């Protein structure tokens, strides 16, 4: 039987970072993963350039049943801390949009950086290696039955991620283990995911697939309300694009979305002013504000002739058109599910974890970090920052117990 100070199950962003940090602090660390390839989610993220953090990351950018839980970890290991690490490794990066940072070259650079950090800490990495069972022992240690033999560790870190994108190895192993060992689970559901509509409801908009435009989108109410100003993308089955991926984390089944297709414009006033001065047809006038295909689709939907001179349109017709376009209420019937979701909403209930160390309140020495925990970030590098911050909180706690920090 081989023994370690700390075993990390899951070699994704959080697991790699935690293992490297703990190893460099002097702990004997083993990193396990059931997949053959390492960190596939990092590799495919950001279109292959890895949106590795967001300069503006704060607790306000995260969702959880306990929204304050992430505050401690984010404060103690910030986006600026990770940016400094990226710079030390000589990785070029750029800001694309709203604080989102991407590698200039490839996401492979972040993977190699994390592997170098692990190597610097003498971390052993066994991959592929599965874990069939975990047993808490009476002395506080943990015993693991792995495909490479029986293992023992003082501290066990679960960094197995969420359920999104199963084709690259997503698994519910960490959630099942947490539940078996007495932890509550916030029901997992796909997040940062395209939303779908019934074929009947969506029929008038199928021809708009591929069309994109900036919008305001909102859903929910009170503390559960989400509102974003981002780009919307029409698909054959529904809506996608950053606006919808963002709002999908807030959307609950049965709720409606509200879309403003002409953000920062008083469309009613603009159309009434055009009526008083323009000789254009209604369709052409509206197409000066909205994409032409979208303008034509909405006029058809409301029974208005695009060829009608706007000067002949009734004020009431123009105001109704504006109201519909700036407060379009529509109800999704679901989402594209785990195969298209970028992350998981829900996970191990934070009420059962320490916000300082991500350590279990049920079983001392057991930690849950990263996406397996009920903390979900917005689109734009926030979920990676939670991986780095939660991993650092865990590693720091493990090292403090050993006098390593």
């Amino acid at each position: 039987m081989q023994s370690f100070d700390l075993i990390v199950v899951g070699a994704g962003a959080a697991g790699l970072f935690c293992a490297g940090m703990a190893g460099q602090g002097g702990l004997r660390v083993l990193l396990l993963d059931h997949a053959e390839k390492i960190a596939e989610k990092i590799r495919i993220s950001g279109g292959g350039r890895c949106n590795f953090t967001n300069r503006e990351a704060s607790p306000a950018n995260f969702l959880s049943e306990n929204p304050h839980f992430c505050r401690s970890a984010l404060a103690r290991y910030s986006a600026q801390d990770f940016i400094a690490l990226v710079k030390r490794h000589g990785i070029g990066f750029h800001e694309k949009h709203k604080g989102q940072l991407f590698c200039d070259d490839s996401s492979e650079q972040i993977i190699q950086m994390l592997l170098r950090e692990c190597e610097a800490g003498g971390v052993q990495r066994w991959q592929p290696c599965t874990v069939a069972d975990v047993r808490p022992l009476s002395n506080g240690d943990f015993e693991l039955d792995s495909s490479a033999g029986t293992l023992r560790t003082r501290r066990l870190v679960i960094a197995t991620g969420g359920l999104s994108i199963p084709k690259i190895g997503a698994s519910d192993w960490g959630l099942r283990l947490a539940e078996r060992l007495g932890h509550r689970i916030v029901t997992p559901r796909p997040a940062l995911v395209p939303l779908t509509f019934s074929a009947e409801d969506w029929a008038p908009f199928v021809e708009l697939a591929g069309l994109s435009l900036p919008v305001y989108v909102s859903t929910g109410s009170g503390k559960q309300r989400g509102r974003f100003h981002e780009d919307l993308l029409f698909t054959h089955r529904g809506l996608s694009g950053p606006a919808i991926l963002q709002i999908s984390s807030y959307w609950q089944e049965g709720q409606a979305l509200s879309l403003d297709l002409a953000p920062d414009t008083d469309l009613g006033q603009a159309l009434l002013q055009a009526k008083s001065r323009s000789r254009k047809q209604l369709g052409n006038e509206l197409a000066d504000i909205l994409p032409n295909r979208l303008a034509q689709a909405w006029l058809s939907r409301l029974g208005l002739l695009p060829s009608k001179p706007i000067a002949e349109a009734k004020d009431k017709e123009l105001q109704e058109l504006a109201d519909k376009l700036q407060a379009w209420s529509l109800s999704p019937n679901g989402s594209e599910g785990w195969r298209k979701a970028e992350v998981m909403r829900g996970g191990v209930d934070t009420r059962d974890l320490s916000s300082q160390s991500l350590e279990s309140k049920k079983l001392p020495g057991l930690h849950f970090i990263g996406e397996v925990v009920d903390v979900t970030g917005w689109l734009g590098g926030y979920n990676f920052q939670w991986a780095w911050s939660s991993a650092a909180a865990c590693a720091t706690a493990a090292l403090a117990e050993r006098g390593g920090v």
Side-chain angles (χ1 to χ4, degrees), residues 31-106:
L31 178 61
L32 305 174
D33 198 288
H34 69 106
E36 291 187 10
K37 294 183 178 180
I38 194 165
E40 279 292 277
K41 207 163 190 182
I42 296 178
R43 183 170 284 108
I44 67 173
S45 70
R49 291 195 172 181
C50 189
N51 179 194
F52 57 82
T53 192
N54 193 298
R55 288 190 191 276
E56 311 302 325
S58 77
N61 306 119
F62 294 84
L63 295 84
S64 172
E65 293 294 301
N66 176 8
H68 299 294
F69 180 83
C70 64
R71 190 176 299 275
S72 175
L74 291 169
R76 288 182 294 126
Y77 192 91
S78 68
Q80 286 66 40
D81 293 319
F82 193 76
I83 291 167
L85 177 65
V86 170
K87 288 180 176 177
R88 284 202 301 275
H89 282 261
I91 298 173
F93 62 90
H94 59 278
E95 182 173 333
K96 187 174 180 180
H97 179 61
K98 296 184 178 180
Q100 300 171 14
L101 301 186
F102 291 77
C103 297
D104 288 344
D105 185 11
S106 164

Side-chain angles (χ1 to χ4, degrees), residues 272-330:
L272 290 173
Q273 287 178 349
K275 175 182 175 179
S276 68
R277 58 171 170 73
S278 175
R279 296 182 179 180
K280 287 184 179 180
Q281 295 176 344
L282 178 56
N284 292 335
E285 195 66 53
L286 189 58
D288 286 343
I289 302 171
L290 299 176
N292 182 57
R293 282 197 293 153
L294 182 61
Q296 300 297 322
W298 267 95
L299 291 172
S300 174
R301 189 167 188 247
L302 296 177
L304 298 174
L305 290 174
S307 59
K308 185 177 186 176
I310 192 170
E312 297 178 12
K314 296 178 181 179
D315 289 0
K316 183 179 178 181
E317 288 178 332
L318 296 178
Q319 190 60 57
E320 181 186 7
L321 173 61
D323 291 345
K324 294 285 188 183
L325 288 168
Q326 296 209 274
W328 182 17
S329 179
L330 65 172

Side-chain angles (χ1 to χ4, degrees), residues 14 28 36 38 96 115 152 155 164 167 202-203 206 218 253-254 283 287 366:
R28 289 176 293 115
E36 291 187 10
I38 194 165
K96 187 174 180 180
L115 289 173
R152 185 169 290 186
R155 285 187 180 269
S164 59
K167 69 179 181 181
W202 202 244
V206 169
S218 61
E253 189 172 345
L366 176 64

Side-chain angles (χ1 to χ4, degrees), residues 59-185:
N61 306 119
F62 294 84
L63 295 84
S64 172
E65 293 294 301
N66 176 8
H68 299 294
F69 180 83
C70 64
R71 190 176 299 275
S72 175
L74 291 169
R76 288 182 294 126
Y77 192 91
S78 68
Q80 286 66 40
D81 293 319
F82 193 76
I83 291 167
L85 177 65
V86 170
K87 288 180 176 177
R88 284 202 301 275
H89 282 261
I91 298 173
F93 62 90
H94 59 278
E95 182 173 333
K96 187 174 180 180
H97 179 61
K98 296 184 178 180
Q100 300 171 14
L101 301 186
F102 291 77
C103 297
D104 288 344
D105 185 11
S106 164
S107 53
E108 187 66 33
Q109 294 174 292
I110 298 296
I111 297 172
Q112 292 304 315
M113 177 191 79
L114 295 171
L115 289 173
R116 288 195 295 272
E117 290 288 304
C118 285
E119 289 167 5
V123 174
Q124 292 189 47
R125 178 166 59 89
W126 297 354
Q127 195 172 2
C129 181
T130 58
V131 178
D133 194 20
V134 172
R135 290 180 296 279
L137 303 179
S138 59
N139 67 350
D141 287 354
F142 295 87
E143 194 168 85
L144 287 70
D145 291 335
S146 82
S147 55
T150 304
L151 308 168
R152 185 169 290 186
T153 182
R154 174 65 193 91
R155 285 187 180 269
L156 177 62
V157 180
I158 307 302
T160 48
L163 304 178
S164 59
I165 323 181
K167 69 179 181 181
I168 62 171
S171 164
D172 67 349
W173 185 89
L175 296 174
R176 286 188 286 109
L177 176 71
E179 194 165 31
R180 183 171 67 78
L181 295 179
H183 301 80
R184 290 167 284 189
I185 303 296

